[in-house]
């Protein structure tokens, strides 16, 4: 049974399909989850282990090495990297990309078990390793909280209040607070009195440790009930701690008489946050993965508005990033632009095919889009920039199906056929070729969507939406389009005027006749153009993922290793003051010591370091960023020459690290540093376009080390730990206990008063064996400076130093990378050491390798489909010979516009290739059908190509013009480069299709000549 005729005969079923698409689309749009970026799993866990007092090299050997050895035994682990600093080991474990999010929880459990077993063999003094597998949580609703006039304790109370209230909001998964000033209770003994009374700092710490402890006091049976007994309440205020008594050699001493006890803030915090120059802390809110972020954001906004009356005066929440507003605005803009796009398509079709055909095709296109939204909701595909962008990429192929059917039906009816006969005739000729071409178009994206790595996970919705929309467009093209044509198209008289007898068609037919006659010249010309374009592709700029469309950019500032966090913060304040005077700046948030929480999936700050500063700068528009970045770079380099300053755009898609990276691996840190200096010089000599070349090991630091006098110290009963404790007491202080305040645990630090003015060699050490204080100079032979590596990186258990660099503005990473690769390859490398490229080159190669592993299967399926369609080899061969020439228009367009060829531009190329293959299939099928009617080959070629001229040109024109309003949409601004390039190149690809028709003519001509020869021989 012919589907198109049945769609007219059983119109009720077709109307049910149409209404189902409309109502289902409305339901789907309202129920679809909304995100900014598609979710992809960050398959990384972080393991943090503290080893107080150890050097970076000791941490690497004694902590990281045994833990990494245990982790390496897991087959699921793809890569292990670690950062070793004095007193701390940080290990990152990356899981193979083939493991999906459902298997990760079991892997993390296995990892914790391995770490727990390995921790038993770690040295004494090492804390239990902490495994963090929520490394990829996204806090998409991100605020800077300014609490002017509030004390530090009140700020903590405010943060606890906000976190507690927001966690109960429906759909909120987590709330993270950063940047609160960490309070400390300082106990500073008067050392003159302490020495005279013989009170050791350890005695003070011991008294404090039990002052507010929580211990079990047991229970007692009273009658038939069992009653719990609680321990006496401890000191519940700072004054109570100051009033503690100490027992020393039979005497009872009051802490108040010999020490100053007060409440303050940590002098060297881990992070300092300023927003627009004011002290602040950040509040990050993460929505549950199963929730619509727009709905979650609305509920959070409503709850914050309700809490505003309960917050103290002077408290202001400044949005750093509000993902729900970004997504809502982008979604609304997309709908408006999509409506304009469909309207433009209808107007173009009305101009060339008439108003009736325009309504038929435009309605089918609209039904396809809303029907796709319906199936997206069914299959839980969120509405985000990739899934919506997929609809745009597929737009040309969606229109093409309906145009082919509508145009064929309209022409047949103009020649006197009834609507049913016309629908049956066009469906008989095109439904199978269109289905095969549609499946081939879907399979062109299968290699990307089914790739097992992060890129494939990120772009899976692209493959899914294109598959849904293209299949739905075919179904509607052979059902809804014939029915609408039945109602709207008019039947002409038999033997009426030829629809293809216009001047344009006659001119095109003449060109085809001329091309067939000069077929060898045409072939040579096409080969020359193709070879030239492939050669020119090497001149096209290359890029992995383009920059994000969010009007944010970042600044990274790095001072020399070991710089105080307060110095870093002061330099950031200097930059904030300059930015506050710029009209295009909306807000500036500064982070000293660390970066922000992950407020976007593609955002990742550098690792925590007191000498690291980070700025998040929001501008009014995206166009303000380039000029502001350049001015800020110039200002910072001029006024802060002592630091390393660089600005960076937020990257779209996975990745976002340094553009160029060179990894040097080996066993000796000294050799690695020397090799890095050589590589640095080679890279700088090879290219002047490198910017901010830097090492992740940073600078070596001066470390002050006491020289232990073994004989004198042991005679006095003083060991190395005693000296270390004395120096710690004289500088940062020792933690003697905690002070409980509601849910907070405030450390109590016993230290020497900074105002005492005593040098390190003036300190005294308490000898427990002598029950007396001994001058430290009797136990050591002075202090000496040592140069040490305080930041050691390891990769897969091997010491690895990474050189990173940015590229000059206006150049792509691939261009600069090509300038330095040969020079680095020629650099001499010692035995046992290796050099490897990282950065964007490695990311793009990994993505392309993964794509290459999936692509052969897709190509085989596509070729088999084309063979099955024709049950022959010659026709598929003709069609597939067109595909390499699809690059011609791409190269010409990209070189003309200067647009780089990025990974997302590859999607546009695949889309155009799908259009080209579809046109080729339908054209070759049409030639075979015309020849089957007994028409001579040359005339059959001309007739078939002329009949396909209008559908192909209209498909290209509607793709170009229909995409114009979508280029301004927020979801697609990130793809302006490849979409604009695609619009410019659509006509070029279409011309390639026409040239492909000529090539098919030549092959068919050769076959015809061979058949004529055979017939002549038979007759002879």
């Amino acid at each position: 049974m012919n589907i198109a005729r049945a769609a007219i005969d059983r119109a009720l079923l077709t109307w049910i399909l149409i209404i189902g698409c409309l109502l289902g689309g409305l339901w789907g749009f309202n129920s679809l989850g909304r995100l900014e970026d598609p979710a992809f799993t960050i398959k990384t866990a972080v393991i943090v282990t503290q080893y107080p007092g150890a050097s970076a090299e000791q941490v690497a050997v004694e902590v990281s090495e045994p833990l990494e050895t245990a982790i390496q035994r897991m087959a699921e682990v793809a890569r292990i990297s670690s950062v070793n600093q004095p007193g701390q080991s940080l290990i990152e474990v990356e899981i193979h990309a083939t493991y999906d999010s459902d298997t990760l929880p079991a892997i993390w459990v296995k990892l914790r078990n391995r770490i727990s077993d390995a921790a038993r063999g770690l040295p004494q003094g090492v804390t239990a390793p902490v495994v963090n597998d929520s490394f990829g949580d996204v806090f998409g609703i991100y605020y800077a909280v300014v609490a002017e006039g509030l004390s530090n304790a009140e700020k903590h109370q405010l943060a606890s209040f906000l976190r507690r209230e927001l966690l109960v909001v429906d759909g909120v998964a987590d709330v993270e607070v950063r940047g609160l000033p960490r309070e400390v209770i300082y106990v500073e003994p008067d050392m003159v009195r302490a020495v005279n009374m013989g009170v050791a700092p350890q005695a003070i710490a011991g008294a404090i440790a039990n002052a507010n402890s929580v211990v079990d006091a047991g229970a007692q049976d009273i009658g038939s009930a069992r009653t719990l007994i609680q321990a006496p309440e401890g000191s519940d205020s700072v004054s109570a701690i100051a009033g503690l008594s100490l027992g020393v050699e039979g005497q009872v001493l009051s802490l108040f008489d010999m020490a100053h006890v007060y409440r303050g803030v940590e002098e060297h915090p881990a992070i300092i946050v300023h927003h627009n120059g004011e002290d602040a802390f950040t509040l990050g809110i993460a929505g549950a993965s199963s929730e619509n972020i727009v709905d979650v954001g609305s509920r959070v906004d409503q709850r914050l508005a309700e809490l505003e009356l309960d917050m103290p005066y002077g408290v202001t929440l400044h949005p750093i990033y509000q993902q729900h507003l970004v997504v809502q605005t982008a979604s609304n803009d997309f709908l408006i632009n999509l409506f304009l796009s469909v309207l433009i398509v209808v107007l173009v079709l009305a101009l060339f095919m008439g108003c009736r055909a325009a309504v038929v095709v435009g309605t089918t296109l609209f039904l396809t889009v809303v029907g796709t939204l319906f199936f997206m909701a069914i299959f839980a595909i969120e509405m985000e920039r990739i899934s919506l962008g997929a609809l745009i990429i597929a737009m040309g192929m969606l229109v093409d199906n309906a145009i082919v059917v509508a145009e064929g039906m309209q022409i047949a009816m103009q020649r006197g056929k009834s609507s049913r006969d016309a629908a049956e005739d066009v469906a008989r000729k095109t439904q199978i070729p269109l289905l095969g071409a549609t499946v081939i178009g879907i399979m062109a994206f299968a290699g990307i969507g089914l790739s097992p790595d992060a890129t494939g996970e990120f772009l899976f919705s692209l493959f899914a939406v294109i598959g849904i929309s293209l299949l739905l467009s075919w179904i509607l093209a052979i059902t809804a389009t014939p029915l609408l044509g039945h109602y709207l198209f008019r039947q002409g008289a038999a033997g009426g005027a030829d629809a293809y007898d216009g001047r344009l068609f006659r001119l095109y037919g003449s060109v085809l006749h001329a091309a067939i006659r000069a077929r060898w010249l045409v072939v040579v010309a096409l080969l020359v153009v193709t070879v030239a374009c492939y050669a020119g592709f090497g001149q096209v700029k290359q890029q992995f993922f383009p920059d994000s469309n969010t009007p944010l950019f970042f600044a990274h500032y790095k001072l020399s290793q070991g710089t105080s966090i307060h110095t870093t913060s002061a330099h950031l304040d200097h930059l904030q003051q300059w930015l506050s005077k710029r009209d295009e700046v909306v807000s500036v948030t500064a982070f000293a010591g660390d970066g922000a929480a992950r407020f976007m999936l593609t955002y990742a700050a550098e690792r925590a370091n007191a000498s690291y500063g980070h700025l998040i700068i929001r501008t009014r528009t995206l166009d303000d960023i380039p000029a502001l970045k350049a001015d800020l770079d110039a200002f910072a380099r001029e006024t802060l020459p002592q630091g390393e300053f660089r600005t960076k755009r937020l990257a779209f898609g996975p990745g976002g690290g340094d553009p160029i990276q060179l990894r040097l691996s080996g066993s000796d840190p000294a050799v690695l540093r020397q090799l890095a200096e050589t590589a640095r010089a080679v890279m700088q000599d090879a290219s002047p376009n490198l910017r901010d070349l830097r090492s992740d090991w940073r600078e070596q630091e001066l470390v002050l080390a006491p020289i232990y006098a073994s004989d004198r110290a042991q005679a006095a009963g003083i060991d190395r730990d005693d000296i270390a404790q004395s120096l710690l007491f004289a500088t940062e202080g020792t933690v003697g206990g905690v002070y409980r305040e509601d849910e907070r645990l405030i450390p109590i630090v016993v230290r020497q008063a900074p105002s005492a003015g005593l040098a390190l060699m003036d300190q005294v050490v308490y000898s427990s064996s002598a029950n007396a204080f001994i001058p430290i100079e009797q136990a050591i032979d002075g202090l000496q400076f040592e140069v040490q590596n305080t930041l050691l990186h390891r990769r897969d258990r091997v010491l690895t130093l990474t050189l990173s660099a940015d590229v000059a503005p206006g150049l792509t990473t691939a261009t600069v990378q090509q300038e330095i690769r040969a020079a680095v390859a020629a650099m001499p490398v010692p035995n046992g050491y290796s050099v490897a490229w990282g950065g964007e080159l490695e990311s793009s190669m990994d993505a392309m390798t993964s794509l290459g592993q999936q692509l052969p299967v897709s190509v085989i399926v596509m070729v088999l489909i084309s063979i099955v369609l024709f049950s022959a080899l010659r026709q598929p061969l003709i069609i597939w010979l067109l595909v390499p020439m699809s690059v011609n228009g791409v190269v010409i367009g990209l070189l003309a516009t200067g647009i780089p060829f990025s990974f997302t531009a590859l999607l546009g190329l695949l889309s155009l290739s799908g259009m080209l293959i579809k046109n080729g299939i339908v054209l070759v099928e049409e030639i075979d059908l015309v020849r089957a009617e007994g028409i001579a080959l040359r005339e059959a070629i001309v007739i078939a190509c002329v009949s396909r001229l209008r559908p192909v040109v209209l498909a290209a024109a509607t793709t170009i013009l229909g995409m114009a309003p979508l280029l301004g949409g927020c979801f697609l601004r990130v793809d302006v480069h490849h979409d604009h390039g695609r619009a410019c190149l659509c006509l070029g690809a279409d011309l390639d299709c026409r040239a492909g028709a000529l090539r098919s003519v030549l092959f068919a001509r050769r076959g015809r000549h061979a058949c004529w020869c055979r017939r002549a021989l038979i007759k002879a």
Side-chain angles (χ1 to χ4, degrees):
M1 181 180 65
N2 187 276
I3 299 176
R5 177 180 281 274
I8 299 175
D9 292 338
R10 301 181 182 180
L12 178 61
L13 297 179
T14 309
W15 278 112
I16 291 175
L17 174 63
I18 292 173
I19 295 173
C21 287
L22 286 173
L23 298 181
L26 292 175
W27 169 79
F29 178 76
N30 292 323
S31 60
L32 273 174
R34 285 167 172 79
L35 296 173
E36 182 178 11
D37 293 306
F40 68 91
T41 307
I42 299 178
K43 300 165 184 164
T44 303
V46 177
I47 304 160
V48 180
T49 311
Q50 306 293 338
Y51 190 10
S55 66
E57 293 190 12
Q58 288 176 314
V59 169
V61 174
E62 300 179 26
V63 178
S64 295
E65 172 62 24
L67 293 180
E68 290 173 5
T69 301
I71 297 169
Q72 192 179 25
R73 299 191 185 104
M74 294 177 58
E76 300 87 349
V77 172
R79 183 175 298 113
I80 305 171
S81 59
S82 65
V83 182
N84 302 276
Q85 303 178 71
Q88 185 187 76
S89 164
L90 187 149
I91 302 174
E92 289 188 4
V93 181
E94 184 177 339
I95 304 302
H96 281 294
T98 53
Y99 294 94
D100 57 23
S101 57
D102 294 333
T103 60
L104 283 181
I107 295 175
W108 299 143
V109 171
K110 184 177 179 180
L111 175 65
R112 284 186 169 87
N113 293 336
R114 291 292 177 93
I115 293 298
S116 178
D117 293 341
R120 298 190 183 99
L122 296 178
Q124 184 178 2
V126 177
T127 63
V130 177
V131 180
N132 176 17
D133 58 14
S134 59
F135 184 68
D137 289 352
V138 178
F139 299 88
I141 306 172
Y142 201 49
Y143 290 98
V145 183
V146 176
E148 186 178 358
L150 268 64
S151 66
N152 293 323
E154 290 171 334
K155 289 179 181 178
H156 278 272
Q157 293 173 359
L158 172 66
S160 298
F161 167 73
L162 291 173
R163 186 175 189 275
R164 182 174 61 251
E165 294 296 327
L166 291 175
L167 277 173
V168 299
V169 174
D170 187 25
V172 171
D174 193 11
V175 178
E176 182 182 84
V177 177
R178 280 193 180 192
L180 280 172
R182 188 185 180 202
E183 288 192 291
V184 178
I185 295 179
Y186 289 109
V187 178
E188 298 176 350
D190 183 340
M191 290 308 297
V192 176
R193 296 183 181 181
V195 171
N196 290 335
M197 296 178 181
V199 180
Q202 292 82 350
I204 299 176
I208 293 173
N210 300 322
N212 197 19
S213 59
V214 176
V215 294
D216 186 11
Q220 183 178 17
D221 292 330
I222 302 178
S224 61
R226 184 169 178 81
T227 304
L228 294 175
I229 304 174
Q230 289 188 342
E233 292 186 2
S235 303
D236 58 356
S237 66
V238 176
S239 59
I241 294 175
L244 289 174
S245 299
L246 306 176
V248 180
E249 296 182 353
Q251 301 181 27
V252 178
L253 305 175
S254 174
L255 185 61
F256 179 79
D257 294 332
M258 57 175 302
H260 178 210
V261 182
Y262 65 96
R263 185 168 180 162
V265 295
E266 190 177 29
E267 292 186 353
H268 299 283
I271 183 173
I272 298 175
V273 181
H274 288 159
H275 182 79
N276 291 337
E278 298 181 286
D279 292 340
F281 64 89
T282 61
L283 187 71
I285 304 159
S289 58
S290 59
E291 293 287 332
N292 186 330
I293 190 61
V294 175
D295 295 338
V296 174
S298 299
R299 291 192 287 266
V300 168
D301 289 343
Q302 181 180 354
R303 185 56 182 154
L304 288 175
E306 296 170 355
L307 296 175
E308 190 173 353
L309 296 176
D310 297 328
M311 288 188 288
Y313 177 78
V315 175
T316 310
L317 272 68
H318 299 277
I320 299 175
Y321 194 77
Q322 293 176 292
Q323 189 183 57
H324 60 293
L325 297 183
V326 173
V327 173
Q328 186 174 26
T329 302
S331 179
N332 294 336
D333 289 346
F334 175 82
L335 289 179
I336 296 172
N337 293 330
L338 184 61
F339 171 78
L340 293 175
S341 178
V342 174
L343 180 62
I344 291 174
V345 169
V346 171
L347 293 176
V348 172
L349 293 174
L351 182 63
F352 292 97
M353 293 182 65
C355 295
R356 296 174 183 272
V359 172
V360 171
V361 176
T363 302
T364 305
L365 176 61
F366 178 74
L367 290 174
T368 302
V369 173
V370 296
T372 301
L373 295 178
F374 171 61
F375 284 102
M376 285 173 61
I378 290 178
F379 295 117
I381 300 173
E382 288 88 359
M383 186 182 292
E384 25 81 5
R385 73 174 88 213
I386 295 297
S387 59
L388 293 179
L391 284 173
I392 309 310
I393 292 174
M395 187 71 74
M397 290 182 280
L398 299 182
V399 175
D400 199 26
N401 283 336
I403 288 177
V404 169
V405 175
E407 203 249 0
M409 186 175 175
Q410 187 181 43
I411 296 300
M413 291 183 67
Q414 288 176 0
R415 292 174 176 173
K417 288 188 177 182
S418 67
S419 59
R420 287 176 172 81
D421 291 339
E424 181 178 1
D425 182 59
V426 70
R428 177 178 54 82
K429 292 180 179 180
T430 61
Q431 64 182 6
I432 298 303
L434 286 178
L435 175 61
T438 298
V439 175
I440 288 175
I442 295 171
M443 292 305 299
F445 293 89
I448 294 176
L450 301 180
S451 177
D453 61 359
T455 302
E457 188 177 2
F458 188 79
L459 296 174
F460 173 76
S461 60
L462 174 88
F463 168 67
V465 172
I466 285 180
I468 293 170
S469 61
L470 290 184
L471 286 176
L472 187 59
S473 74
W474 178 81
I475 293 172
L476 291 173
I478 61 173
T479 54
T481 301
L483 180 64
L484 296 174
H486 167 72
Y487 292 135
L488 295 177
F489 292 158
R490 292 178 178 177
Q491 183 177 0
D498 188 358
Y500 300 119
D501 196 33
R503 180 179 300 174
L504 178 63
F505 293 107
R506 292 198 304 270
L507 176 62
Y508 179 63
S510 301
V511 172
L512 279 179
H513 278 294
I516 293 173
R517 286 193 298 268
R519 54 189 178 276
W520 295 114
L521 181 61
V522 173
V523 170
V524 172
L526 288 172
L527 289 175
V528 170
V529 171
T530 303
V531 172
C533 288
Y534 271 89
F537 193 79
Q539 305 300 318
V540 174
K541 297 178 181 178
Q542 304 291 316
Q543 191 177 32
F544 184 35
F545 274 106
D547 293 327
S548 173
N549 62 318
T550 306
L552 286 177
F553 73 97
F554 308 130
H556 300 279
Y557 182 64
K558 185 68 174 66
L559 289 163
S560 59
Q561 187 71 6
T563 302
S564 166
I565 191 173
H566 298 289
T567 303
T568 306
S569 181
H571 289 192
L572 294 181
D573 290 342
H574 174 67
L575 296 173
Q576 286 185 92
Q577 292 175 6
W578 182 85
L579 286 167
S580 65
K581 300 175 183 177
R582 299 290 296 240
D583 294 335
E584 63 267 45
V585 175
V586 175
S587 64
V588 182
T589 309
F591 300 83
D594 202 350
R598 189 187 295 272
F599 61 89
M600 294 180 70
L601 194 61
T602 55
Y603 167 83
E606 294 192 4
R607 293 184 177 92
N609 194 312
S611 59
Y612 169 67
H614 185 57
L615 295 175
I616 299 178
I617 304 160
R618 177 176 286 275
T619 60
R620 298 189 184 278
T621 66
L622 197 66
D623 297 332
D624 293 331
I625 293 180
L628 181 61
K629 275 178 81 275
D631 293 346
L632 179 59
D633 277 327
F635 174 77
R637 294 176 193 276
E638 179 182 354
T639 60
L640 298 173
Q642 65 272 45
E644 173 193 289
F645 185 85
R646 53 195 173 88
T647 54
K648 188 177 182 66
R649 290 285 301 275
L650 183 64
F652 165 71
D658 294 322
I660 293 179
Q661 288 184 344
L662 181 67
R663 290 193 296 267
L664 311 171
S665 301
S667 58
D668 190 339
V671 176
L672 285 177
R673 283 195 176 274
Q674 184 178 3
L675 186 60
E677 290 302 317
T678 303
R680 182 192 297 268
V682 168
M683 294 168 70
Q684 289 176 334
D685 292 341
S687 173
N689 298 314
L690 292 173
R691 297 290 183 271
D692 303 317
L693 191 56
R694 54 198 176 273
S695 162
D696 63 347
W697 282 25
R698 312 304 304 185
E699 303 84 7
Q700 292 180 302
E701 288 188 61
L702 288 175
V703 176
L704 195 60
I707 303 172
Y708 184 64
S710 302
D711 296 338
R712 300 199 308 271
Q714 292 174 4
I718 298 174
D719 57 21
R720 291 177 173 82
D721 289 348
D722 293 331
I723 295 175
Q725 286 295 317
S726 176
L727 294 175
L728 180 63
F729 169 78
T731 52
E732 296 181 349
T734 61
V735 178
V738 294
Y739 170 60
R740 288 176 172 81
E741 186 174 74
D742 297 328
E743 74 276 14
R744 296 177 59 199
L745 299 177
I746 304 175
I748 303 174
V749 175
V750 182
R751 69 173 186 178
Q752 181 178 281
S755 58
L758 298 177
L760 292 180
M761 291 300 294
D762 296 332
Q763 302 301 316
V764 291
V765 184
Y766 185 78
S767 171
S768 56
S769 60
N771 290 328
F773 285 94
I774 306 297
I776 194 173
E777 58 185 359
Q778 293 187 15
I780 63 175
D781 290 329
L783 302 169
Q784 65 178 5
F785 282 103
E786 296 179 359
V787 178
Q788 289 187 4
N789 293 302
T790 57
L791 200 58
L792 292 178
H793 290 252
R794 289 160 54 99
R795 182 182 174 91
D796 292 333
R797 298 180 57 207
V798 180
L799 286 173
T800 302
L801 187 153
T802 302
L803 291 175
S804 303
D806 298 318
V807 300
L811 297 176
T812 63
T813 302
T815 301
V816 180
Q817 186 96 45
Q818 192 64 30
E819 295 174 351
I820 62 177
R821 289 187 69 177
V824 172
M827 183 180 69
V829 178
N831 292 332
Y833 292 79
S834 62
V835 177
W837 290 106
E840 192 170 302
L841 176 64
E842 181 183 42
S843 299
S844 60
M845 288 181 64
D846 289 344
M848 293 301 178
T849 300
S850 179
L851 176 61
Q853 293 172 351
Q854 306 297 321
L855 199 57
V857 178
S858 302
V859 172
I860 291 173
V861 173
M862 293 162 68
V863 171
L864 289 177
I865 291 173
S866 61
I867 293 174
V868 171
L869 280 176
F870 294 99
S871 298
L873 294 177
R874 177 175 296 171
Q875 289 91 336
L877 178 62
I878 293 171
I879 294 168
W880 281 97
L881 284 175
L882 308 179
V883 176
M885 298 187 183
S886 62
V887 178
N888 295 358
V890 174
V891 173
I892 294 171
L894 292 179
L895 288 177
T897 58
I899 297 171
F901 185 80
S902 64
F903 189 84
T904 49
L906 176 63
L907 307 180
L909 176 59
L910 291 176
S911 175
L912 295 176
S913 300
M915 291 178 63
L916 188 149
I917 294 173
K918 174 181 285 188
N919 288 329
I921 288 175
V922 176
L923 176 59
V924 173
E925 177 70 15
E926 183 70 17
I927 293 174
D928 289 344
L929 292 174
V930 174
R931 290 185 64 192
E933 297 176 359
I935 299 176
L937 176 61
R938 180 174 298 185
E939 292 303 319
I941 291 170
V942 174
I943 291 172
C945 290
V946 168
S947 68
R948 284 294 297 156
L949 176 63
R950 182 162 56 183
V952 171
V953 171
L954 286 179
T958 52
T959 301
I960 295 171
L961 299 177
M963 192 176 297
L966 294 164
L967 293 178
C970 187
F971 271 115
L972 297 176
R973 281 288 297 274
V974 70
D975 289 330
V976 162
H977 293 314
H978 96 265
D979 280 340
H980 179 263
R982 177 186 166 189
C984 295
L985 306 177
C986 250
L987 185 57
D990 183 58
L991 293 176
D992 271 349
C993 187
R994 304 280 62 74
L998 297 180
R999 289 191 294 276
S1000 71
V1001 168
L1002 297 177
F1003 276 91
R1005 178 70 179 179
R1006 180 180 298 175
R1008 178 174 178 265
H1009 180 71
C1011 291
W1012 180 86
C1013 291
R1014 285 194 296 269
R1015 288 197 299 269
L1017 289 173
I1018 291 173
K1019 289 181 180 179

